[in-house]
Amino acid sequence: MLIRTKNRSDVRSSEITSETVYQDRRRFLKKGGQFALAGLGLTLVGCSDDLTQTIAAKNTPASTDVNIPQFNAPQWLQQKVAAHTKSQFLTEDALTPYPTVAGYNNFYEFGYGKQDPAEHAKDLITDPWSVIVEGAVEKPGTYTLEDILKPHDLEERIYRLRCVEAWSMVVPWVGYSLANMLKRFQPTSKAKYVEFHTLYDPEQMPGQRSRLSSIEYPYVEGLRIDEAINPLTFMAVGLYGKTLPPQNGAPLRLVVPWKYGFKSIKSIVRIRFTETIPRTTWVKSGPSEYGFFANVNPNVDHPRWSQAMERRLPDTLWEPNRIETRMFNGYEEEVAHLYSGMDLSKYY
Ligand SMILES: Nc1nc2c(c(=O)[nH]1)N[C@H]1C(S)=C(S)[C@@H](COP(=O)(O)O)O[C@H]1N2
Ligand SMILES: [Mo]
């Protein structure tokens, strides 16, 4: 999102995909519901030794892959995430391999390079963790993560994630719908928006100590209430069947699959219900480039680049893997009604 030219710190997907065995499943969402694990064609990147490993692993469900680390997550959370069920939120797109999902990140609190978060966030303390709930709600307070999650069962959802920088991934998240989380706090009729804040802890987050930072911390994001309670909007505590890696926003992060990735705020410590539109980090730092809505839209270009295409990770210099960007990231049917009558080139 910053003006960055490709540099050495960008992870070459060809370097990381060869390090770990991963499986590559394709699942299909059938119109009437049930998904089929369609055994099938592997989309493969990389070289032939990858291919051997991938074929061997292709029938292993993500949720039982023992090679995926749990970082510092507490036992109770590891167990809760492991007990997730499958859901009907699936995609035909091949999953992005775990090493790319957890190795190519944007989390500016831990640096600007794509590899920086994996390196610098790995010791982030995520237990104990609590979330302040405030503003236009009947049940404000400070909730521990355990309190927050206790009443809810978790499920796996496979979503596309499209960064405003024109790369994308396909991630199997574990979590639950944001609507279910928010309902419990009983928002009042004054709650027109909901605002989220990331942890502010300069001691743990080197990016927050930097005087050169072009963005203000804590990182803040927000949604209109109807967006927040849309069935697609998700609160994730895991991916690939395990607790979230810190670099992906442990222990709790938002996932809004029809919006550019910067809306999907990580490591949330505050949820505030407001009557007025939240002042979000990227709107503050570059209002002509980043809007509050940030819906994925191939027809509205970023002032400095086109949004018509995207790089689906993992890719290599030799195989750029460029695909067309879809309206609302392919979730048009589910969310287009939220914006009827709005000029999306004005409300970008
Ligand atoms: N707190 C915080 N949340 C953040 C970011 C960030 O820098 N800080 N980056 C955003 C951007 S630009 C993207 S594309 C996604 C990337 O999520 P991932 O690293 O899990 O793929 O996280 C979003 N959430
Ligand atoms: Mo992004």
Side-chain angles (χ1 to χ4, degrees):
M1 334 242 307
L2 298 182
I3 313 136
R4 301 193 72 242
T5 47
K6 201 169 170 64
N7 68 30
R8 213 161 301 184
S9 67
D10 277 29
V11 183
R12 284 274 144 66
S13 41
S14 55
E15 287 163 17
I16 47 182
T17 52
S18 58
E19 283 173 11
T20 310
V21 177
Y22 60 87
Q23 84 300 330
D24 185 334
R25 296 170 299 170
R26 286 185 168 205
R27 293 158 147 192
F28 295 89
L29 180 55
K30 292 259 168 68
K31 265 270 136 60
Q34 293 303 72
F35 74 90
L37 234 185
L40 4 226
L42 298 183
T43 314
L44 234 302
V45 242
C47 41
S48 51
D49 46 358
D50 275 345
L51 187 62
T52 324
Q53 294 182 323
T54 305
I55 288 168
K58 75 172 175 174
N59 292 321
T60 313
S63 46
T64 60
D65 190 327
V66 289
N67 295 321
I68 295 174
Q70 304 266 14
F71 298 90
N72 300 324
Q75 275 296 325
W76 67 265
L77 184 56
Q78 295 188 20
Q79 283 161 8
K80 188 158 181 105
V81 170
H84 73 271
T85 56
K86 303 292 172 194
S87 77
Q88 296 183 4
F89 295 87
L90 304 165
T91 143
E92 296 181 6
D93 307 30
L95 295 182
T96 300
Y98 177 84
T100 306
V101 174
Y104 185 100
N105 301 98
N106 274 337
F107 198 167
Y108 285 167
E109 287 86 336
F110 294 101
Y112 292 149
K114 297 295 188 243
Q115 286 172 297
D116 289 343
E119 187 182 334
H120 297 124
K122 60 177 185 295
D123 298 321
L124 177 69
I125 298 167
T126 58
D127 179 39
W129 192 268
S130 54
V131 178
I132 294 170
V133 176
E134 60 188 14
V137 271
E138 302 290 353
K139 305 239 146 109
T142 300
Y143 294 79
T144 67
L145 186 62
E146 211 166 352
D147 267 357
I148 288 179
L149 296 178
K150 201 172 285 162
H152 305 284
D153 292 325
L154 305 181
E155 64 185 30
E156 181 176 73
R157 294 191 184 185
I158 300 176
Y159 280 156
R160 290 176 288 275
L161 175 83
R162 188 356 177 127
C163 177
V164 73
E165 297 163 336
W167 51 265
S168 65
M169 299 190 186
V170 181
V171 184
W173 302 105
V174 177
Y176 65 117
S177 81
L178 181 68
N180 283 344
M181 177 198 241
L182 298 186
K183 230 175 0 202
R184 222 177 121 212
F185 307 133
Q186 297 178 21
T188 69
S189 57
K190 287 194 167 150
K192 301 284 192 289
Y193 297 89
V194 57
E195 177 179 316
F196 304 89
H197 295 209
T198 294
L199 177 67
Y200 180 74
D201 186 352
E203 279 191 19
Q204 291 201 81
M205 296 174 147
Q208 294 178 339
R209 301 195 294 266
S210 164
R211 282 161 193 270
L212 299 171
S213 176
S214 61
I215 67 175
E216 265 176 50
Y217 295 108
Y219 193 104
V220 173
E221 260 310 333
L223 296 169
R224 223 169 50 190
I225 276 291
D226 59 343
E227 299 176 316
I229 64 174
N230 182 276
L232 282 183
T233 312
F234 201 56
M235 198 44 97
V237 294
L239 60 79
Y240 267 100
K242 299 289 172 74
T243 52
L244 281 177
Q247 60 268 33
N248 293 92
L252 185 71
R253 67 88 57 88
L254 188 66
V255 182
V256 194
W258 73 94
K259 291 179 179 284
Y260 290 123
F262 68 84
K263 297 298 287 185
S264 292
I265 182 173
K266 297 176 169 182
S267 305
I268 294 165
V269 295
R270 187 183 296 271
I271 299 177
R272 178 185 291 159
F273 294 84
T274 67
E275 206 167 356
T276 55
I277 192 163
R279 296 267 297 139
T280 52
T281 295
W282 285 104
V283 172
K284 275 194 275 183
S285 97
S288 62
E289 306 200 349
Y290 309 107
F292 176 80
F293 287 96
N295 294 314
V296 175
N297 189 338
N299 308 313
V300 176
D301 287 338
H302 185 279
R304 289 182 282 119
W305 58 84
S306 163
Q307 295 291 24
M309 306 284 289
E310 67 201 52
R311 234 168 9 103
R312 173 60 54 82
L313 303 181
D315 70 346
T316 67
L317 225 47
W318 320 115
E319 289 179 75
N321 204 18
R322 276 164 57 83
I323 60 174
E324 281 180 15
T325 289
R326 297 162 68 184
M327 189 63 204
F328 297 113
N329 203 22
Y331 300 100
E332 192 164 10
E333 223 172 278
E334 291 88 342
V335 300
H337 68 274
L338 296 171
Y339 312 103
S340 62
M342 278 173 69
D343 176 353
L344 296 179
S345 60
K346 184 168 168 218
Y347 297 102
Y348 51 88

